């Protein structure tokens, strides 16, 4: 799948000549360095699944007044961010397929403008998705550790300001990235942002898990039922592993790719890693498919509303 302007340059670093890259690739390990041939149909399928899932989440939250709270507004924004990932991926893939088969003939200048628009969508969705994952973690942390003061801390006004700030920052950062994508400082900022979100989620969720584990231990010791303690601890550990594991697996390879672009653009083994760029994009799209399963569909109220939305649509 052919990627668009800045993302195409992220596939292979711009500070290494084409000849050096081809020589490095050839000398680094033959077939392993050829990457994966991922069909456009897979991009289209995952994009459509993600789009439908996240549309259902947004529709359910808008429909049910019981879900009109900061927590669900943040989940709704995450769904919109994931929809941007899907829409940008679908638009890019469809345009590339139409142009490759000669169905759509567009002047080069118009294609460049389309590249910039779709690239801004992609960059905005990446930044906003990561941001709202962090915001949801903070919101859950406040819910657990400041339960009695939650409604005074996370007011609707503060939630709206938070959401508006994230969208504004995402738009500005994507514009800066499109303009200065050749500057390593921009890549370092993206890498730093990812590492910050990873550490933030790691610290908050582990702290929440530790508190929940302590409460279950206290209850089980009072009732003299250690089996309940072990079962609850195992369930909490599995949930924590899923949350952080999905985040790291889906986003980690893409940002590790950026780290290699900055640190070893001409190294043969780094060049081999660059050839798997499309796989890293697939993982990001998969994250958009998995997010509703982790953050939205686990709510019984939201699942009930989803059933109503689906039945009404039929």
């Amino acid at each position: 799948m052919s990627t668009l302007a800045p993302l195409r340059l992220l596939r292979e670093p711009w500070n290494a000549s084409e000849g050096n890259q081809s020589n490095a690739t050839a000398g680094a390990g033959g077939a392993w360095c050829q990457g994966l041939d991922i069909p456009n149909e897979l991009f289209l399928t995952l994009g459509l699944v993600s789009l439908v899932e996240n549309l259902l989440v947004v529709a359910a939250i808008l429909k049910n007044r019981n879900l009109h709270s900061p927590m669900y507004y943040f989940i709704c924004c995450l769904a919109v961010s994931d929809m941007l990932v899907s829409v940008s991926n679908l638009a890019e893939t469809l345009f590339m397929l139409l142009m490759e088969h000669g169905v759509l003939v567009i002047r080069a200048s118009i294609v460049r403008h389309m590249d910039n628009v779709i690239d801004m969508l992609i960059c905005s969705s990446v930044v906003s998705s990561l941001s709202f994952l962090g915001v949801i973690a903070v919101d859950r942390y406040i819910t657990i550790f400041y339960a009695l003061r939650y409604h005074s801390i996370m007011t609707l006004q503060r939630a709206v300001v938070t959401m508006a700030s994230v969208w504004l920052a995402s738009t500005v950062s994507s514009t800066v990235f499109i303009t200065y994508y050749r500057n390593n400082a921009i890549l370092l900022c993206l890498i730093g942002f990812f590492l910050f979100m990873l550490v933030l989620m790691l610290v908050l969720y582990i702290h929440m898990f530790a508190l929940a584990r302590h409460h279950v231990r206290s209850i089980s010791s009072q009732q003299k039922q250690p089996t309940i303690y072990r079962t609850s601890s195992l369930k909490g550990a599995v949930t924590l592993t899923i949350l952080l594991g999905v985040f790291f697996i889906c986003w980690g390879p893409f940002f590790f790719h950026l780290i290699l672009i900055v640190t070893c653009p001409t190294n043969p083994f780094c060049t081999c890693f660059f050839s798997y760029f499309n796989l890293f994009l697939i993982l990001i799209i998969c994250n958009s498919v998995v997010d509703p399963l982790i953050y939205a569909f686990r709510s019984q109220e939201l699942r009930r509303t989803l059933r109503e939305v689906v039945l009404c649509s039929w």
Side-chain angles (χ1 to χ4, degrees), residues 34-208:
Q34 299 303 315
L36 293 176
D37 185 17
I38 299 177
N40 287 322
E41 290 77 12
L42 181 58
F43 282 90
L44 285 172
T45 301
L46 289 175
L48 286 172
V49 171
S50 171
L51 182 61
V52 171
E53 276 188 350
N54 289 288
L55 272 175
L56 287 174
V57 171
V58 173
I61 292 175
L62 293 178
K63 181 179 185 297
N64 191 339
R65 292 184 177 274
N66 293 332
L67 302 177
H68 292 183
S69 64
M71 179 182 70
Y72 286 103
Y73 286 150
F74 295 145
I75 292 176
C76 183
C77 285
L78 176 62
V80 173
S81 298
D82 289 337
M83 282 170 55
L84 285 178
V85 175
S86 306
V87 169
S88 57
N89 163 66
L90 289 171
E92 178 187 6
T93 305
L94 286 173
F95 277 119
M96 295 307 300
L97 285 173
L98 290 175
M99 287 189 289
E100 285 175 5
H101 290 82
V103 178
L104 189 63
V105 179
I106 306 177
R107 288 185 301 175
S109 59
I110 297 178
V111 172
R112 284 195 297 271
H113 288 304
M114 290 169 54
D115 283 352
N116 290 334
V117 171
I118 295 178
D119 285 335
M120 286 188 66
L121 278 176
I122 294 173
C123 296
S124 295
S125 62
V126 167
V127 175
S128 59
S129 292
L130 289 173
S131 299
F132 282 116
L133 287 172
V135 168
I136 290 171
V138 172
D139 180 75
R140 289 184 172 181
Y141 184 86
I142 296 173
T143 302
I144 291 177
F145 285 90
Y146 302 94
L148 298 178
R149 297 171 50 203
Y150 174 80
H151 293 291
S152 61
I153 295 175
M154 189 56 69
T155 62
L156 182 59
Q157 182 179 5
R158 287 177 179 169
V160 170
V161 170
T162 300
M163 291 184 289
S165 300
V166 169
W167 287 118
L168 178 61
S170 301
T171 304
V172 172
S173 61
S174 64
T175 304
V176 172
F177 178 77
I178 296 299
T179 306
Y180 301 103
Y181 63 86
R182 288 181 178 270
N183 193 329
N184 277 349
I186 299 297
L187 296 185
L188 289 173
C189 288
L190 284 174
I191 295 166
F193 177 65
F194 167 75
L195 293 176
F196 171 76
M197 285 300 169
L198 178 62
V199 172
L200 176 67
M201 293 178 65
L202 190 66
V203 171
L204 293 182
Y205 281 123
I206 288 179
H207 196 190
M208 284 185 275

